[in-house]
Coordinates of all heavy atoms in Angstrom, one line a residue:
M1 N 64.9 179.0 119.9 CA 64.8 179.2 118.4 C 63.6 178.5 117.9 O 63.4 177.3 118.2 CB 66.1 178.6 117.9 CG 66.2 178.5 116.4 SD 67.6 177.7 115.6 CE 69.0 178.1 116.7
P2 N 62.8 179.1 117.0 CA 61.7 178.5 116.4 C 62.1 177.3 115.5 O 63.2 177.3 115.0 CB 61.0 179.6 115.6 CG 61.6 180.8 116.2 CD 62.9 180.5 116.7
I3 N 61.2 176.4 115.4 CA 61.4 175.2 114.6 C 61.7 175.5 113.1 O 62.5 174.9 112.5 CB 60.2 174.2 114.7 CG1 60.1 173.7 116.1 CG2 60.4 173.1 113.7 CD1 58.9 172.8 116.3
G4 N 61.0 176.6 112.6 CA 61.2 176.9 111.2 C 62.6 177.4 110.9 O 63.0 177.4 109.7
V5 N 63.3 177.9 111.9 CA 64.7 178.4 111.6 C 65.6 177.2 111.2 O 66.4 177.3 110.2 CB 65.3 179.1 112.8 CG1 66.7 179.5 112.6 CG2 64.5 180.4 113.1
I6 N 65.5 176.1 111.9 CA 66.3 174.9 111.5 C 65.9 174.4 110.1 O 66.8 174.1 109.3 CB 66.1 173.9 112.6 CG1 66.7 174.4 113.9 CG2 66.8 172.6 112.2 CD1 66.4 173.5 115.1
A7 N 64.6 174.3 109.8 CA 64.2 173.9 108.5 C 64.7 174.9 107.4 O 65.0 174.5 106.3 CB 62.7 173.7 108.5
G8 N 64.6 176.2 107.8 CA 65.1 177.2 106.8 C 66.6 177.1 106.5 O 67.0 177.2 105.4
I9 N 67.4 176.8 107.6 CA 68.8 176.6 107.4 C 69.1 175.3 106.5 O 69.9 175.4 105.6 CB 69.5 176.5 108.7 CG1 69.5 177.8 109.4 CG2 71.0 176.0 108.5 CD1 70.0 177.7 110.9
Y10 N 68.4 174.3 106.8 CA 68.5 173.1 105.9 C 68.1 173.4 104.4 O 68.8 173.0 103.5 CB 67.5 172.0 106.4 CG 68.1 171.0 107.3 CD1 67.5 170.8 108.6 CD2 69.2 170.2 107.0 CE1 68.0 169.9 109.5 CE2 69.7 169.3 107.9 CZ 69.1 169.1 109.1 OH 69.6 168.2 110.0
G11 N 67.0 174.1 104.3 CA 66.6 174.5 102.9 C 67.6 175.3 102.2 O 67.9 175.2 101.0
L12 N 68.2 176.3 102.9 CA 69.1 177.2 102.3 C 70.4 176.5 101.9 O 71.0 176.7 100.8 CB 69.5 178.4 103.3 CG 70.5 179.4 102.8 CD1 69.8 180.2 101.6 CD2 70.9 180.3 103.9
L13 N 70.9 175.6 102.8 CA 72.1 174.8 102.5 C 71.8 173.9 101.3 O 72.7 173.7 100.4 CB 72.5 174.0 103.7 CG 73.2 174.8 104.8 CD1 73.4 173.9 106.0 CD2 74.5 175.4 104.4
I14 N 70.7 173.3 101.2 CA 70.3 172.4 100.1 C 70.3 173.2 98.8 O 70.8 172.8 97.8 CB 69.0 171.6 100.3 CG1 69.2 170.6 101.4 CG2 68.5 171.0 99.1 CD1 67.9 170.0 101.9
L15 N 69.7 174.4 98.9 CA 69.6 175.2 97.7 C 71.0 175.7 97.2 O 71.3 175.6 96.0 CB 68.7 176.4 98.0 CG 68.4 177.4 96.8 CD1 67.6 176.7 95.8 CD2 67.8 178.6 97.3
V16 N 71.8 176.1 98.1 CA 73.2 176.5 97.7 C 74.0 175.4 97.1 O 74.7 175.5 96.1 CB 73.9 177.1 99.0 CG1 75.4 177.3 98.7 CG2 73.3 178.5 99.3
T17 N 73.9 174.2 97.8 CA 74.6 173.0 97.3 C 74.1 172.6 95.9 O 75.0 172.3 95.0 CB 74.5 171.9 98.3 OG1 74.9 172.3 99.6 CG2 75.3 170.7 97.8
L18 N 72.8 172.6 95.7 CA 72.3 172.2 94.4 C 72.7 173.2 93.3 O 73.1 172.8 92.2 CB 70.8 172.0 94.4 CG 70.3 170.7 95.1 CD1 68.8 170.7 95.2 CD2 70.8 169.5 94.3
A19 N 72.5 174.4 93.6 CA 72.7 175.5 92.5 C 74.2 175.5 92.2 O 74.6 175.6 91.0 CB 72.3 176.8 93.0
S20 N 75.1 175.5 93.2 CA 76.5 175.6 92.8 C 77.0 174.3 92.2 O 77.9 174.3 91.3 CB 77.3 175.9 94.1 OG 77.1 174.9 95.1
G21 N 76.4 173.1 92.6 CA 76.8 171.9 91.9 C 76.4 171.8 90.5 O 77.2 171.4 89.6
Y22 N 75.2 172.3 90.2 CA 74.7 172.3 88.8 C 75.6 173.3 88.0 O 76.0 173.0 86.8 CB 73.3 172.7 88.7 CG 72.3 171.6 89.0 CD1 71.2 171.9 89.8 CD2 72.5 170.3 88.6 CE1 70.3 170.9 90.1 CE2 71.6 169.3 88.9 CZ 70.5 169.6 89.7 OH 69.7 168.6 90.0
Y23 N 75.9 174.4 88.5 CA 76.8 175.4 87.8 C 78.1 174.8 87.5 O 78.7 174.9 86.4 CB 76.9 176.7 88.6 CG 77.6 177.8 87.9 CD1 76.9 178.6 87.0 CD2 79.0 178.0 88.0 CE1 77.5 179.6 86.3 CE2 79.6 179.0 87.2 CZ 78.9 179.8 86.4 OH 79.5 180.8 85.7
A24 N 78.7 174.2 88.5 CA 80.1 173.6 88.3 C 80.0 172.4 87.3 O 80.9 172.3 86.5 CB 80.6 173.1 89.7
F25 N 78.9 171.7 87.4 CA 78.8 170.6 86.4 C 78.6 171.1 85.0 O 79.2 170.6 84.0 CB 77.5 169.7 86.8 CG 77.3 168.6 85.8 CD1 78.1 167.5 85.8 CD2 76.2 168.7 85.0 CE1 77.8 166.5 84.9 CE2 75.9 167.6 84.1 CZ 76.7 166.5 84.0
L26 N 77.9 172.2 84.8 CA 77.7 172.7 83.5 C 78.9 173.4 82.9 O 79.0 173.6 81.7 CB 76.5 173.7 83.5 CG 75.1 173.0 83.7 CD1 74.0 174.0 83.8 CD2 74.8 172.0 82.6
H27 N 79.8 173.8 83.8 CA 81.0 174.5 83.4 C 82.3 173.7 83.7 O 83.3 174.2 84.1 CB 81.1 175.9 84.1 CG 80.0 176.8 83.6 ND1 78.8 176.9 84.2 CD2 80.0 177.7 82.6 CE1 78.1 177.8 83.6 NE2 78.8 178.3 82.6
A28 N 82.2 172.4 83.5 CA 83.3 171.5 83.8 C 84.4 171.8 82.8 O 85.6 171.6 83.2 CB 82.8 170.0 83.7
N29 N 84.1 172.2 81.6 CA 85.2 172.5 80.7 C 86.1 173.6 81.2 O 87.3 173.6 81.1 CB 84.5 172.9 79.3 CG 85.5 172.9 78.2 OD1 86.6 172.3 78.3 ND2 85.1 173.5 77.1
T30 N 85.4 174.7 81.7 CA 86.2 175.8 82.3 C 87.0 175.4 83.5 O 88.2 175.8 83.6 CB 85.2 176.9 82.7 OG1 84.4 177.3 81.6 CG2 86.0 178.1 83.2
L31 N 86.5 174.5 84.3 CA 87.2 174.0 85.5 C 88.4 173.2 85.1 O 89.5 173.3 85.7 CB 86.3 173.2 86.4 CG 85.3 174.0 87.2 CD1 84.3 173.0 87.9 CD2 86.0 174.8 88.2
A32 N 88.2 172.4 84.0 CA 89.4 171.6 83.5 C 90.5 172.5 83.0 O 91.7 172.2 83.2 CB 88.9 170.6 82.4
R33 N 90.1 173.6 82.3 CA 91.1 174.5 81.8 C 91.8 175.2 82.9 O 93.0 175.5 82.8 CB 90.4 175.5 80.9 CG 91.4 176.4 80.1 CD 90.7 177.3 79.1 NE 90.1 176.5 78.1 CZ 88.7 176.2 78.0 NH1 87.9 176.7 78.9 NH2 88.3 175.5 77.0
E34 N 91.1 175.6 84.0 CA 91.7 176.3 85.1 C 92.7 175.5 85.9 O 93.6 176.0 86.4 CB 90.6 176.9 86.0 CG 89.8 178.0 85.5 CD 90.7 179.2 85.3 OE1 91.5 179.6 86.1 OE2 90.5 179.9 84.2
S35 N 92.5 174.2 85.9 CA 93.3 173.3 86.7 C 94.1 172.4 85.7 O 94.2 171.2 85.9 CB 92.5 172.4 87.6 OG 91.6 171.6 86.9
Q36 N 94.7 172.9 84.7 CA 95.5 172.1 83.7 C 96.7 171.5 84.4 O 97.6 172.3 84.8 CB 95.8 172.9 82.5 CG 94.7 173.1 81.6 CD 95.1 173.8 80.3 OE1 96.2 174.4 80.3 NE2 94.3 173.7 79.3
T37 N 96.7 170.2 84.6 CA 97.9 169.5 85.0 C 98.0 168.3 84.1 O 97.1 167.9 83.4 CB 97.7 169.0 86.5 OG1 96.5 168.2 86.5 CG2 97.6 170.2 87.4
P38 N 99.2 167.7 84.1 CA 99.4 166.6 83.1 C 98.5 165.4 83.4 O 98.2 164.6 82.5 CB 100.9 166.2 83.3 CG 101.5 167.3 84.0 CD 100.4 168.1 84.7
D39 N 98.1 165.2 84.7 CA 97.3 164.0 85.0 C 95.8 164.2 85.1 O 95.1 163.5 85.8 CB 97.8 163.5 86.4 CG 99.2 163.1 86.4 OD1 99.7 162.7 85.3 OD2 99.9 163.2 87.4
N40 N 95.3 165.2 84.3 CA 93.9 165.5 84.3 C 93.0 164.3 83.8 O 93.4 163.7 82.8 CB 93.5 166.7 83.5 CG 93.6 168.0 84.3 OD1 93.7 168.0 85.5 ND2 93.4 169.1 83.6
D41 N 91.9 164.0 84.5 CA 91.0 163.0 83.9 C 90.1 163.7 82.9 O 89.6 163.1 82.0 CB 90.1 162.4 85.0 CG 90.9 161.5 85.9 OD1 92.0 161.0 85.5 OD2 90.5 161.3 87.1
V42 N 89.8 165.0 83.1 CA 89.0 165.8 82.2 C 89.9 166.7 81.4 O 90.6 167.4 82.0 CB 87.9 166.6 83.0 CG1 87.1 167.4 82.1 CG2 87.1 165.7 83.9
V43 N 89.8 166.6 80.1 CA 90.6 167.5 79.3 C 89.8 168.6 78.7 O 88.6 168.4 78.3 CB 91.2 166.6 78.1 CG1 92.0 167.5 77.2 CG2 92.0 165.5 78.6
A44 N 90.3 169.8 78.8 CA 89.5 171.0 78.3 C 89.4 170.9 76.8 O 90.4 170.7 76.1 CB 90.3 172.3 78.7
G45 N 88.2 171.2 76.3 CA 88.0 171.2 74.9 C 88.0 172.6 74.4 O 88.6 173.5 75.0
R46 N 87.4 172.8 73.2 CA 87.4 174.2 72.6 C 86.5 175.1 73.5 O 85.6 174.7 74.2 CB 86.8 174.1 71.2 CG 87.7 173.4 70.3 CD 87.1 173.4 68.9 NE 85.7 172.9 69.0 CZ 84.7 173.2 68.1 NH1 85.0 173.9 67.1 NH2 83.5 172.7 68.2
S47 N 86.9 176.4 73.5 CA 86.1 177.4 74.2 C 85.8 178.5 73.4 O 86.4 178.8 72.3 CB 86.8 177.8 75.5 OG 88.0 178.6 75.1
R48 N 84.8 179.3 73.8 CA 84.4 180.5 73.1 C 85.4 181.6 73.5 O 85.8 181.6 74.7 CB 83.0 180.9 73.4 CG 82.0 179.8 73.0 CD 80.6 180.3 73.3 NE 79.8 179.1 73.1 CZ 78.8 178.8 74.0 NH1 78.5 179.6 75.0 NH2 78.1 177.7 73.7
P49 N 85.7 182.5 72.6 CA 86.6 183.6 73.0 C 86.0 184.6 74.0 O 84.8 184.8 74.0 CB 87.0 184.3 71.7 CG 85.8 183.9 70.8 CD 85.3 182.6 71.3
G50 N 86.8 185.2 74.8 CA 86.4 186.3 75.7 C 85.8 185.8 77.0 O 85.1 184.7 77.0
G51 N 86.0 186.5 78.1 CA 85.4 186.2 79.4 C 85.9 185.0 80.0 O 85.3 184.4 80.9
R52 N 87.1 184.5 79.6 CA 87.6 183.3 80.1 C 88.0 183.3 81.6 O 87.6 182.4 82.4 CB 88.8 182.9 79.3 CG 88.9 181.4 79.1 CD 90.2 181.1 78.4 NE 89.9 181.0 76.9 CZ 90.7 180.6 76.0 NH1 92.0 180.3 76.4 NH2 90.4 180.5 74.8
R53 N 88.6 184.4 82.0 CA 89.1 184.5 83.4 C 87.9 184.6 84.4 O 87.8 184.1 85.4 CB 90.1 185.6 83.6 CG 91.4 185.3 83.0 CD 92.5 186.2 83.4 NE 92.7 186.2 84.9 CZ 93.5 185.3 85.5 NH1 94.0 184.3 84.9 NH2 93.7 185.4 86.8
E54 N 86.9 185.4 83.9 CA 85.7 185.6 84.8 C 84.9 184.4 85.0 O 84.5 184.0 86.1 CB 84.9 186.7 84.2 CG 83.7 187.1 85.1 CD 83.0 188.3 84.6 OE1 83.5 189.1 83.9 OE2 81.8 188.4 84.9
R55 N 84.8 183.6 83.9 CA 84.1 182.3 84.0 C 84.8 181.4 84.9 O 84.3 180.6 85.6 CB 83.8 181.7 82.6 CG 82.6 182.3 81.9 CD 82.4 181.5 80.7 NE 83.4 181.8 79.7 CZ 83.8 181.1 78.7 NH1 83.2 180.0 78.5 NH2 84.7 181.5 77.9
G56 N 86.2 181.4 84.8 CA 87.0 180.5 85.6 C 86.8 180.8 87.1 O 86.7 179.9 87.9
R57 N 86.8 182.1 87.4 CA 86.6 182.5 88.8 C 85.3 182.1 89.3 O 85.1 181.6 90.5 CB 86.9 184.0 89.0 CG 88.3 184.4 88.8 CD 88.5 185.9 89.0 NE 89.8 186.3 88.7 CZ 90.2 187.4 88.2 NH1 89.3 188.3 87.9 NH2 91.5 187.7 88.0
R58 N 84.2 182.3 88.5 CA 82.9 181.9 88.9 C 82.8 180.4 89.1 O 82.1 179.9 90.0 CB 81.9 182.4 87.9 CG 81.5 183.9 88.1 CD 80.4 184.2 87.2 NE 81.0 184.5 85.9 CZ 80.4 184.7 84.8 NH1 79.0 184.7 84.7 NH2 81.0 185.0 83.6
S59 N 83.4 179.6 88.2 CA 83.4 178.2 88.4 C 84.1 177.7 89.6 O 83.6 176.8 90.3 CB 84.0 177.5 87.1 OG 83.3 177.9 86.0
I60 N 85.2 178.3 89.9 CA 86.0 177.9 91.1 C 85.2 178.3 92.4 O 85.1 177.6 93.3 CB 87.4 178.6 91.1 CG1 88.2 177.9 90.0 CG2 88.1 178.4 92.5 CD1 89.6 178.6 89.8
L61 N 84.5 179.5 92.3 CA 83.7 179.9 93.4 C 82.5 178.9 93.6 O 82.1 178.6 94.7 CB 83.1 181.3 93.2 CG 82.2 181.9 94.2 CD1 82.9 182.1 95.6 CD2 81.6 183.2 93.8
A62 N 82.0 178.4 92.5 CA 80.9 177.4 92.6 C 81.3 176.2 93.2 O 80.6 175.6 94.1 CB 80.3 177.1 91.2
V63 N 82.5 175.7 93.0 CA 83.1 174.5 93.6 C 83.3 174.8 95.1 O 83.0 173.9 95.9 CB 84.4 174.0 92.9 CG1 85.0 172.9 93.7 CG2 84.1 173.6 91.5
I64 N 83.8 175.9 95.4 CA 84.0 176.3 96.9 C 82.6 176.3 97.6 O 82.5 175.8 98.7 CB 84.7 177.6 97.0 CG1 86.2 177.4 96.5 CG2 84.7 178.1 98.4 CD1 87.0 178.7 96.4
L65 N 81.6 177.0 97.0 CA 80.3 177.0 97.6 C 79.7 175.6 97.7 O 79.0 175.3 98.7 CB 79.4 177.9 96.8 CG 79.6 179.4 97.0 CD1 78.7 180.2 96.0 CD2 79.3 179.8 98.4
F66 N 79.9 174.8 96.7 CA 79.4 173.4 96.8 C 80.0 172.7 98.0 O 79.3 172.0 98.7 CB 79.7 172.7 95.5 CG 79.3 171.2 95.5 CD1 78.0 170.9 95.3 CD2 80.2 170.2 95.7 CE1 77.6 169.6 95.3 CE2 79.8 168.9 95.7 CZ 78.5 168.6 95.5
C67 N 81.4 172.8 98.2 CA 82.0 172.1 99.3 C 81.6 172.7 100.6 O 81.3 171.9 101.6 CB 83.5 172.3 99.1 SG 84.2 171.4 97.7
L68 N 81.4 174.0 100.7 CA 80.9 174.6 102.0 C 79.5 174.2 102.3 O 79.1 173.9 103.4 CB 81.1 176.1 101.9 CG 82.5 176.7 102.0 CD1 82.5 178.2 101.8 CD2 83.2 176.3 103.3
G69 N 78.6 174.2 101.3 CA 77.3 173.7 101.5 C 77.2 172.3 101.9 O 76.4 171.9 102.8
T70 N 78.0 171.4 101.3 CA 78.0 170.0 101.7 C 78.5 169.8 103.1 O 77.9 169.1 103.9 CB 78.9 169.2 100.7 OG1 78.4 169.4 99.4 CG2 78.9 167.7 101.0
A71 N 79.5 170.6 103.5 CA 80.0 170.5 104.8 C 79.0 171.0 105.8 O 78.8 170.4 106.9 CB 81.3 171.3 105.0
G72 N 78.3 172.1 105.5 CA 77.2 172.6 106.3 C 76.1 171.6 106.5 O 75.6 171.4 107.6
L73 N 75.7 170.9 105.4 CA 74.7 169.9 105.5 C 75.1 168.7 106.4 O 74.4 168.1 107.2 CB 74.3 169.4 104.1 CG 73.4 170.3 103.3 CD1 73.2 169.8 101.9 CD2 72.0 170.4 104.0
L74 N 76.4 168.3 106.2 CA 76.9 167.2 107.1 C 76.9 167.6 108.5 O 76.6 166.8 109.4 CB 78.3 166.8 106.6 CG 78.4 166.1 105.3 CD1 79.8 165.9 104.9 CD2 77.7 164.7 105.4
L75 N 77.3 168.9 108.8 CA 77.3 169.4 110.2 C 75.9 169.4 110.8 O 75.7 168.9 111.9 CB 77.9 170.8 110.2 CG 77.9 171.4 111.6 CD1 78.9 170.7 112.6 CD2 78.3 172.9 111.5
M76 N 74.9 169.9 110.0 CA 73.6 170.0 110.5 C 73.0 168.6 110.7 O 72.3 168.3 111.6 CB 72.7 170.7 109.5 CG 73.0 172.2 109.4 SD 72.4 173.1 110.9 CE 70.7 173.0 110.7
G77 N 73.3 167.6 109.8 CA 72.9 166.3 109.9 C 73.5 165.6 111.2 O 72.8 164.9 111.9
T78 N 74.7 165.9 111.4 CA 75.4 165.3 112.6 C 74.8 165.9 113.9 O 74.5 165.1 114.8 CB 76.9 165.6 112.6 OG1 77.5 165.1 111.4 CG2 77.6 165.0 113.8
L79 N 74.5 167.2 113.9 CA 73.9 167.8 115.1 C 72.5 167.3 115.2 O 72.0 167.1 116.4 CB 73.9 169.3 114.9 CG 75.2 170.0 115.0 CD1 75.1 171.5 114.7 CD2 75.8 169.8 116.4
H80 N 71.8 167.1 114.1 CA 70.4 166.6 114.2 C 70.4 165.1 114.8 O 69.6 164.8 115.7 CB 69.7 166.6 112.9 CG 68.4 166.0 112.8 ND1 67.3 166.7 113.3 CD2 67.9 164.8 112.4 CE1 66.2 165.9 113.2 NE2 66.6 164.8 112.6
F81 N 71.2 164.3 114.3 CA 71.2 162.9 114.7 C 71.8 162.7 116.1 O 71.4 161.7 116.8 CB 71.9 162.0 113.7 CG 71.2 161.8 112.4 CD1 71.8 162.1 111.2 CD2 69.9 161.4 112.4 CE1 71.2 162.0 110.0 CE2 69.2 161.2 111.2 CZ 69.8 161.5 110.0
S82 N 72.6 163.6 116.6 CA 73.1 163.5 117.9 C 72.1 164.1 118.9 O 72.3 163.9 120.1 CB 74.5 164.3 118.0 OG 74.3 165.7 117.9
G83 N 71.1 164.8 118.5 CA 70.1 165.4 119.4 C 70.4 166.8 119.9 O 69.7 167.3 120.7
A84 N 71.5 167.4 119.4 CA 71.8 168.7 119.8 C 70.9 169.8 119.3 O 70.7 170.8 119.9 CB 73.3 169.1 119.4
L85 N 70.3 169.6 118.1 CA 69.4 170.6 117.6 C 68.0 170.6 118.3 O 67.4 171.6 118.4 CB 69.1 170.3 116.1 CG 70.3 170.7 115.1 CD1 69.9 170.4 113.7 CD2 70.7 172.1 115.3
S86 N 67.6 169.4 118.9 CA 66.3 169.4 119.5 C 66.4 170.2 120.8 O 65.4 170.7 121.3 CB 65.9 168.0 119.8 OG 66.9 167.3 120.6
S87 N 67.6 170.4 121.4 CA 67.7 171.2 122.6 C 67.6 172.7 122.3 O 67.4 173.5 123.2 CB 69.0 170.8 123.4 OG 70.1 171.2 122.6
L88 N 67.8 173.1 121.1 CA 67.7 174.5 120.7 C 66.3 175.0 120.5 O 66.1 176.2 120.6 CB 68.5 174.7 119.4 CG 70.0 174.5 119.5 CD1 70.6 174.7 118.1 CD2 70.7 175.5 120.5
V89 N 65.4 174.1 120.3 CA 64.0 174.4 120.1 C 63.4 174.9 121.4 O 63.5 174.2 122.4 CB 63.2 173.3 119.4 CG1 61.8 173.6 119.3 CG2 63.8 172.9 118.1
E90 N 62.7 176.0 121.4 CA 62.0 176.5 122.6 C 61.0 175.5 123.1 O 60.2 175.0 122.3 CB 61.4 177.9 122.3 CG 62.4 179.0 121.9 CD 61.7 180.2 121.6 OE1 60.4 180.3 121.6 OE2 62.4 181.2 121.2
S91 N 61.0 175.3 124.4 CA 60.0 174.4 124.9 C 58.6 175.0 125.0 O 57.6 174.3 125.0 CB 60.4 174.0 126.4 OG 60.4 175.2 127.2
Q92 N 58.4 176.3 124.9 CA 57.1 177.0 124.9 C 56.7 177.3 123.4 O 55.8 178.2 123.3 CB 57.2 178.2 125.7 CG 57.5 178.0 127.2 CD 56.6 177.0 127.8 OE1 55.4 177.1 127.6 NE2 57.1 176.1 128.7
D93 N 57.2 176.7 122.5 CA 56.8 176.9 121.1 C 55.4 176.5 120.8 O 55.0 175.3 121.1 CB 57.8 176.2 120.1 CG 57.7 176.7 118.7 OD1 56.8 177.5 118.4 OD2 58.4 176.2 117.9
V94 N 54.5 177.4 120.4 CA 53.1 177.0 120.2 C 52.9 176.1 119.0 O 51.8 175.5 118.9 CB 52.3 178.3 120.0 CG1 52.3 179.2 121.2 CG2 52.8 179.1 118.8
T95 N 53.8 175.9 118.1 CA 53.6 175.0 117.0 C 53.9 173.6 117.4 O 53.6 172.7 116.6 CB 54.6 175.4 115.8 OG1 55.9 175.4 116.3 CG2 54.2 176.8 115.3
V96 N 54.4 173.3 118.5 CA 54.7 171.9 119.0 C 53.5 171.4 119.7 O 53.0 172.0 120.6 CB 56.0 171.9 119.9 CG1 56.2 170.5 120.4 CG2 57.2 172.4 119.2
Q97 N 53.0 170.2 119.2 CA 51.9 169.6 119.9 C 52.3 168.7 121.0 O 53.2 168.0 120.9 CB 51.1 168.8 118.9 CG 50.5 169.6 117.8 CD 49.7 168.7 116.8 OE1 49.7 167.5 116.9 NE2 49.0 169.3 115.9
R98 N 51.7 168.9 122.2 CA 52.0 168.1 123.3 C 50.7 167.3 123.8 O 49.6 167.8 123.6 CB 52.4 169.0 124.5 CG 53.8 169.7 124.2 CD 54.2 170.6 125.3 NE 55.4 171.3 124.9 CZ 55.5 172.4 124.1 NH1 54.4 172.9 123.6 NH2 56.6 172.9 123.9
P99 N 50.9 166.2 124.3 CA 49.7 165.4 124.8 C 49.1 166.0 126.0 O 49.6 166.7 126.8 CB 50.3 164.0 125.1 CG 51.7 164.2 125.2 CD 52.1 165.4 124.5

């Protein structure tokens, strides 16, 4: 596997995690409304009419993507620090400098 694939996977996971985290942060009011329980720390405020269910589904999807992206980054970091990713890189890769 070329070296750029591993960097591309890292970049994609970082992008997904950041984008979904920002979306979930900006729509925290909708998330609080969707998970209304008596012990909420975040209380839903006023909302604009219309499109409530669709925004709720998108916000929940953003939280799921954030969790999956974070888990993927933790997995890639664990594989990197254990040395398992370095064995996947082709030994004849022309971009690797050898003495």
Side-chain angles (χ1 to χ4, degrees):
M1 172 184 325
I3 294 175
V5 173
I6 295 171
I9 291 171
Y10 268 120
L12 182 67
L13 286 173
I14 289 170
L15 183 68
V16 166
T17 304
L18 283 175
S20 60
Y22 284 137
Y23 187 86
F25 178 71
L26 292 174
H27 293 89
N29 194 15
T30 305
L31 286 170
R33 187 174 297 103
E34 288 295 319
S35 63
Q36 282 186 342
T37 58
D39 299 331
N40 268 355
D41 290 336
V42 179
V43 179
R46 294 181 305 157
S47 68
R48 299 181 194 139
R52 215 181 265 184
R53 290 195 56 85
E54 187 174 332
R55 277 188 289 156
R57 290 180 183 148
R58 280 186 276 172
S59 298
I60 291 172
L61 178 65
V63 170
I64 291 170
L65 284 175
F66 178 78
C67 292
L68 289 176
T70 304
L73 283 171
L74 289 173
L75 176 69
M76 290 290 289
T78 303
L79 290 174
H80 177 74
F81 290 125
S82 69
L85 287 182
S86 61
S87 65
L88 293 176
V89 176
E90 294 176 1
S91 61
Q92 301 300 321
D93 193 358
V94 295
T95 59
V96 177
Q97 294 182 354
R98 292 179 185 80

